[in-house]
Amino acid sequence: GMIFAINYPITMLWFRKIEARSTRRQWMGKMAVAFGMLYALRAWVKGPLTYPKIQYNETNPYFGFIPLVAYIFLRNLTPTMRSYSMDLLHEIGKTTLETYLMQHHIWLSSNSKTVLTFIPGWPRVNLVMVTFIYVLLTRKIHNLTLLLRTIILPDDREACIRSLVGLMVAIAGFYCTAFVVEEMGMSNLMSVGVVSIVCGTLLYQSVMDSTWATYREAAKAAKKSLDADLGDSDDHNTTTSESEFSTGNAEDQETTISRFCPPLIGAMVVLVIGLIWNGFAATGASSIGRLPPTCDAFVNNGSWIPIDGCNEASRSMAYRENHVSSFGMCLPHGNANIWAWDKQPSHTHCRFGNRDEMQVKKVLNNRKVVFIGDSMTRNLYHASLRMMGVTGSGAYD
């Protein structure tokens, strides 16, 4: 995006220069560029686009710009085409940053491993509901981002530097507080809530103390400017004196309620959010972590699922219906069985599941695993190797 913005003036200058020439020379130049872009697009379609997922992800940063640049050029080939635009794409483009960030927190959850579900058993209705919340929140976050940008980073250079310094000090203070709480072993819901309320109140009071005088002077200046536009001098003097009386003693008219009401409301909001969070966590809506000891009662609840490792449809169905995603062997006869656990109630926190290759390697990194036993243990050994990416392990069986 930044590279495109830098080259945008150059591209528009090229369009203006070439469109100032004769029609024949104009289209010869445009078609020459379009031919080169279409040739590159054809090579991308027959090459990187057909790669497997992992290889495609590795090469996409180097070739992903080809279809984008080709579309942008062909889409804006003539002045008539550039004079039309779609408001829907324009509105979506305003919140691309927010939609990219929030997709991992609303559309997906648990580090993009699970889907946020409000209506179990109704996936399409749930998708519509989650999408509505997703779009609504991204729009709200976009508006808040613009508002906070003008507050935290104003156009005045001195005020902007002062805000940046204050912001860095506040962030450093919160990091230090979190480090101290973590080292003291107090990272529970109650301590987090107390620290959030105290630090939030201090931050609120600091912002109010540093901005209230400026706000009062700005309000006074705006009042005087409004009074000056009203007309004759008598009315002007009267309203000016009234405005000075009403704004000049604003600090003296501050009450305890006006000072403590906003942080009190904020503390109540934090408390309510904490209670809701605690309720979700108690019923199973927490991040995926280590299985609790109580899961021993469910560890054998499951069944063997027949899968054709050579068939993408069979593997996809096993993933959707039984959450089996780490089958890495394509046997000559096709069919094989892999264990899948039954889904347990969310409040048990027993989320059994097969780990993929990257997760297994991360868990077993710098560790040794010894397999001792008979042929069944040997099969477990080969299955473990297949989970770590050695797809041919045990093929002689």
Side-chain angles (χ1 to χ4, degrees):
M2 290 185 291
I3 295 176
F4 178 82
I6 293 173
N7 289 276
Y8 176 76
I10 301 175
T11 305
M12 293 307 300
L13 178 62
W14 181 83
F15 269 113
R16 286 197 297 268
K17 284 188 174 182
I18 198 170
E19 287 172 356
R21 300 175 180 271
S22 62
T23 304
R24 186 176 66 86
R25 299 188 63 181
Q26 173 188 154
W27 281 101
M28 286 178 60
K30 289 183 178 180
M31 288 299 103
V33 177
F35 176 79
M37 290 190 174
L38 289 174
Y39 183 80
L41 181 62
R42 177 178 177 274
W44 176 79
V45 170
K46 291 193 172 183
L49 186 60
T50 61
Y51 292 166
K53 177 178 176 57
I54 297 178
Q55 188 178 0
Y56 175 82
N57 291 340
E58 293 175 350
T59 58
N60 187 62
Y62 307 100
F63 302 106
F65 71 94
I66 293 177
L68 296 178
V69 174
Y71 167 77
I72 292 172
F73 178 79
L74 298 174
R75 162 67 179 82
N76 299 279
L77 197 59
T78 65
T80 303
M81 296 175 66
R82 293 196 296 272
S83 63
Y84 290 93
S85 63
M86 184 179 293
D87 290 338
L88 176 62
L89 297 179
H90 176 69
E91 291 298 323
I92 293 175
K94 290 181 179 179
T95 58
T96 50
L97 176 62
E98 289 77 10
T99 52
Y100 170 73
L101 295 176
M102 296 307 295
Q103 65 175 322
H104 301 289
H105 303 282
I106 300 178
W107 259 348
L108 302 174
S109 58
S110 302
N111 197 20
S112 302
K113 295 296 187 300
T114 59
V115 179
L116 184 62
T117 303
F118 290 105
I119 310 175
W122 296 79
R124 291 183 177 84
V125 178
N126 184 78
L127 176 62
V128 172
M129 181 178 180
V130 174
T131 302
F132 174 77
I133 298 174
Y134 170 67
V135 174
L136 179 63
L137 286 182
T138 52
R139 300 288 296 183
K140 293 295 183 181
I141 292 174
H142 172 71
N143 295 332
L144 288 175
T145 302
L146 297 179
L147 179 62
L148 290 175
R149 206 281 309 172
T150 57
I151 296 175
I152 299 176
L153 302 175
D155 295 332
D156 182 67
R157 183 176 181 180
E158 182 179 351
C160 182
I161 295 175
R162 187 169 59 250
S163 297
L164 282 176
V165 173
L167 185 63
M168 288 187 290
V169 170
I171 293 175
F174 284 133
Y175 265 104
C176 293
T177 304
F179 177 78
V180 172
V181 172
E182 184 71 23
E183 289 297 317
M184 294 176 63
M186 298 175 59
S187 55
N188 52 57
L189 181 62
M190 182 175 295
S191 61
V192 171
V194 171
V195 171
S196 299
I197 292 173
V198 173
C199 293
T201 302
L202 294 175
L203 181 62
Y204 165 81
Q205 193 60 45
S206 300
V207 172
M208 289 296 294
D209 291 341
S210 61
T211 59
W212 183 255
T214 304
Y215 167 75
R216 186 168 60 245
E217 294 299 328
K220 186 186 299 184
K223 189 81 171 180
K224 288 182 178 180
S225 177
L226 179 62
D227 293 339
D229 296 336
L230 291 179
D232 58 282
S233 59
D234 293 335
D235 293 340
H236 169 68
N237 292 333
T238 303
T239 54
T240 301
S241 61
E242 289 177 355
S243 65
E244 290 177 352
F245 176 79
S246 60
T247 58
N249 298 326
E251 189 174 7
D252 298 334
Q253 293 176 0
E254 281 189 60
T255 62
T256 304
I257 296 178
S258 64
R259 271 190 169 274
F260 287 96
C261 191
L264 183 61
I265 294 175
M268 293 177 61
V269 171
V270 172
L271 180 62
V272 171
I273 293 176
L275 292 175
I276 295 174
W277 177 22
N278 184 55
F280 284 163
T283 56
S286 60
S287 60
I288 296 178
R290 293 181 177 273
L291 297 177
T294 54
C295 293
D296 292 345
F298 310 104
V299 71
N300 292 322
N301 294 350
S303 58
W304 291 98
I305 306 300
I307 300 178
D308 184 357
C310 306
N311 190 322
E312 181 67 27
S314 176
R315 286 185 288 150
S316 300
M317 186 177 298
Y319 174 77
R320 291 193 303 270
E321 297 182 358
N322 304 101
H323 306 286
V324 176
S325 59
S326 61
F327 188 79
M329 187 172 180
C330 178
L331 297 174
H333 52 78
N335 293 325
N337 293 324
I338 189 170
W339 179 262
W341 284 276
D342 295 338
K343 186 177 180 181
Q344 304 301 327
S346 58
H347 63 82
T348 62
H349 295 269
C350 297
R351 297 185 179 96
F352 297 104
N354 293 281
R355 292 180 170 89
D356 57 25
E357 177 184 341
M358 184 178 299
Q359 291 174 327
V360 173
K361 289 182 177 179
K362 182 178 180 180
V363 172
L364 299 180
N365 187 30
N366 296 325
R367 295 185 179 182
K368 292 183 179 180
V369 181
V370 180
F371 295 85
I372 302 176
D374 53 10
S375 59
M376 293 184 64
T377 307
R378 183 185 63 189
N379 290 334
L380 292 176
Y381 166 75
H382 290 307
S384 301
L385 290 181
R386 290 195 296 270
M387 290 181 67
M388 289 186 284
V390 186
T391 57
S393 179
Y396 59 87
D397 289 339

